[in-house]
Amino acid sequence: MFHLRTCAAKLRPLTASQTVKTFSQNRPAAARTFQQIRCYSAPVAAEPFLSGTSSNYVEEMYCAWLENPKSVHKSWDIFFRNTNAGAPPGTAYQSPLPLSRGSLAAVAHAQSLVEAQPNVDKLVEDHLAVQSLIRAYQIRGHHVAQLDPLGILDADLDSSVPADIISSTDKLGFYGLDESDLDKVFHLPTTTFIGGQESALPLREIIRRLEMAYCQHIGVEFMFINDLEQCQWIRQKFETPGIMQFTNEEKRTLLARLVRSTRFEEFLQRKWSSEKRFGLEGCEVLIPALKTIIDKSSENGVDYVIMGMPHRGRLNVLANVIRKELEQIFCQFDSKLEAADEGSGDVKYHLGMYHRRINRVTDRNITLSLVANPSHLEAADPVVMGKTKAEQFYCGDTEGKKVRPVRRSLWPHIPGRSSAASPSF
């Protein structure tokens, strides 16, 4: 009815001045009479029945049509259907057909045109449902990520169902969709990058790409971030098709760094099995990940990286990232070595290091600093940020593009470790 009232509001009567000008030529001034003449502007002229005097009748016909479309004349049925489908003013109405031989064929043709009009409300609801589905994956996708390859976190091993064989019927029904919508094409919102260069995808492909981005062996939780630019950056890095593809050279580099990390932990375990060392078992991928961050930072012009971290994995980072001499690390495991020989009485997994070397990927000098770890890890972040600010001041880096911190909150938490050695970040 809003559309009907809008069309009726477009009926424009002539003003008094226009009426005077029309009749002034044939009548004397004393005999002038003013008549309110109503004219219609195109395209509303095609619907002359939408006037103020017929609004009650049109409303009654519309209410009757809502209850039973067959209770009104066919012309009213076609008019109301076209109006609900979003037809512009002047195009929804079709004059009644004469009772001739070809009238039935014309009625059938008009009916097909009405049925061809898209159901705008259903289309909008389906697109909103798809956007809600995409946002649900971005918010809660990490809860169904396959982070337990052995299935040991499930007490009843027989009840564990792999995520890849769970039917999608339930999650579609929650959003008002069903399996018949899987092959429909939907436009993608601006808050996702799963389409790549495509702006629309079938629902089946949308779900497949979302599961590849958020429900595999990497779980990412980021929707609590209030900065839209940061959220968009994370979405782009995880959702863009083919973003996780590496070249053969990159794969070799990652494998070599992962092997060095694993072998270092295996050697310490065999050589000093009873020594406390806070190993990195289960998270050896931290070393290639951290070295990749340093490589990318060096490519972008960073000359100074200051890091702060907990006990867990510190020796491995010192050996394979900072490149501290292995001889110095191994000597700290020797109980015969006095504290005065190293100049410090602190334990080996509290010590830090400052080292300047050439990055072999970019062939640029870069300074790496790992601050000494205090017994109370809450003090690690302020120390890192304070040292970074001091280095930026003395280097004249007012924009923070040369000296960058890697804070403790960015380091991964290794499940199964004691809270004193590896607090939750």
Side-chain angles (χ1 to χ4, degrees):
M1 285 306 302
F2 176 77
H3 174 65
L4 300 179
R5 292 171 181 171
T6 304
C7 294
K10 293 186 178 181
L11 303 177
R12 300 181 309 197
L14 290 177
T15 61
S17 60
Q18 291 174 330
T19 308
V20 170
K21 185 177 180 180
T22 303
F23 294 98
S24 61
Q25 297 179 356
N26 299 327
R27 296 187 180 183
R32 288 179 182 175
T33 58
F34 298 94
Q35 299 179 0
Q36 187 174 2
I37 301 176
R38 187 178 300 275
C39 66
Y40 303 97
S41 61
V44 184
E47 298 173 348
F49 55 89
L50 294 180
S51 62
T53 57
S54 62
S55 61
N56 293 333
Y57 175 72
V58 173
E59 187 172 358
E60 291 178 0
M61 296 297 293
Y62 181 70
C63 293
W65 177 81
L66 289 177
E67 295 179 359
N68 185 10
K70 295 183 179 180
S71 63
V72 299
H73 191 265
K74 195 66 178 179
S75 60
W76 281 110
D77 184 26
I78 295 176
F79 172 74
F80 290 135
R81 287 179 183 272
N82 290 339
T83 302
N84 285 355
T91 61
Y93 171 70
Q94 296 181 9
S95 60
L97 297 173
L99 297 177
S100 59
R101 182 173 300 178
S103 61
L104 296 178
V107 170
H109 178 67
Q111 183 67 22
S112 64
L113 292 178
V114 172
E115 294 177 355
Q117 292 288 344
N119 192 335
V120 178
D121 294 338
K122 182 65 166 61
L123 188 61
V124 172
E125 291 177 0
D126 289 347
H127 275 79
L128 291 177
V130 172
Q131 294 186 17
S132 300
L133 181 65
I134 294 174
R135 183 171 178 83
Y137 272 98
Q138 294 173 345
I139 296 176
R140 305 186 60 84
H142 62 281
H143 288 291
V144 293
Q146 303 176 27
L147 305 180
D148 184 22
L150 301 180
I152 59 178
L153 297 182
D154 193 347
D156 187 4
L157 298 181
D158 296 333
S159 64
S160 60
V161 181
D164 55 345
I165 65 174
I166 296 179
S167 175
S168 60
T169 306
D170 296 337
K171 54 189 174 187
L172 290 179
F174 179 79
Y175 296 99
L177 303 171
D178 51 35
E179 293 185 355
S180 61
D181 298 322
L182 290 176
D183 295 325
K184 293 182 181 179
V185 178
F186 295 92
H187 289 278
L188 300 175
T190 57
T191 55
T192 183
F193 294 87
I194 59 175
Q197 301 297 327
E198 302 175 89
S199 60
L201 288 174
L203 180 57
R204 190 186 309 274
E205 183 65 17
I206 291 176
I207 295 177
R208 189 190 69 83
R209 296 191 182 186
L210 288 173
E211 290 182 349
M212 290 294 296
Y214 294 106
C215 303
Q216 296 302 309
H217 301 292
I218 298 178
V220 53
E221 183 179 8
F222 66 97
M223 291 297 287
F224 61 89
I225 301 176
N226 296 325
D227 193 328
L228 177 61
E229 184 178 357
Q230 294 181 10
C231 289
Q232 288 291 83
W233 185 87
I234 296 176
R235 292 190 188 107
Q236 184 179 8
K237 294 300 181 182
F238 276 87
E239 295 181 357
T240 304
I243 195 67
M244 295 296 181
Q245 300 298 326
F246 299 100
T247 63
N248 292 334
E249 185 63 28
E250 291 175 339
K251 292 179 180 179
R252 294 190 186 96
T253 303
L254 293 175
L255 179 60
R257 292 172 174 177
L258 186 60
V259 169
R260 289 178 63 91
S261 173
T262 305
R263 293 300 185 186
F264 180 81
E265 297 294 343
E266 292 178 354
F267 177 79
L268 294 182
Q269 175 64 27
R270 289 196 307 266
K271 189 68 175 178
W272 296 282
S273 58
S274 60
E275 284 285 334
K276 184 185 294 187
R277 54 187 178 84
F278 294 98
L280 200 60
E281 289 93 343
C283 195
E284 293 87 350
V285 73
L286 171 65
I287 301 304
L290 187 57
K291 291 177 71 68
T292 301
I293 293 175
I294 295 175
D295 294 341
K296 292 298 182 181
S297 301
S298 180
E299 290 180 3
N300 294 327
V302 175
D303 296 330
Y304 205 118
V305 177
I306 302 174
M307 294 177 286
M309 63 175 297
H311 304 77
R312 186 71 59 187
R314 173 174 289 264
L315 295 179
N316 208 320
V317 171
L318 286 172
N320 294 315
V321 178
I322 309 297
R323 294 299 177 90
K324 184 177 182 179
E325 295 291 337
L326 295 179
E327 180 181 356
Q328 298 180 15
I329 297 177
F330 296 155
C331 287
Q332 294 172 359
F333 284 91
D334 191 353
S335 59
K336 298 179 182 178
L337 186 62
E338 297 294 337
D341 296 340
E342 287 293 327
S344 173
D346 205 349
V347 291
K348 50 187 171 295
Y349 42 82
H350 279 186
L351 301 178
M353 187 180 178
Y354 174 97
H355 182 56
R356 184 174 180 83
R357 63 180 179 85
I358 296 179
N359 186 282
R360 298 186 182 276
V361 177
T362 60
D363 290 332
R364 297 179 70 252
N365 286 325
I366 187 168
T367 302
L368 304 177
S369 176
L370 180 63
V371 298
N373 203 16
S375 297
H376 298 281
L377 296 179
E378 297 81 9
D381 283 355
V383 171
V384 172
M385 299 306 295
K387 186 174 182 179
T388 302
K389 190 66 177 179
E391 292 289 346
Q392 291 175 350
F393 174 78
Y394 286 109
C395 294
D397 184 17
T398 57
E399 298 181 358
K401 295 183 177 181
K402 298 292 185 181
V403 183
R404 299 295 297 173
V406 180
R407 293 175 293 172
R408 182 176 64 93
S409 57
L410 301 178
W411 292 70
H413 169 57
I414 306 174
R417 304 298 190 184
S418 62
S419 59
S422 180
S424 299
F425 304 125

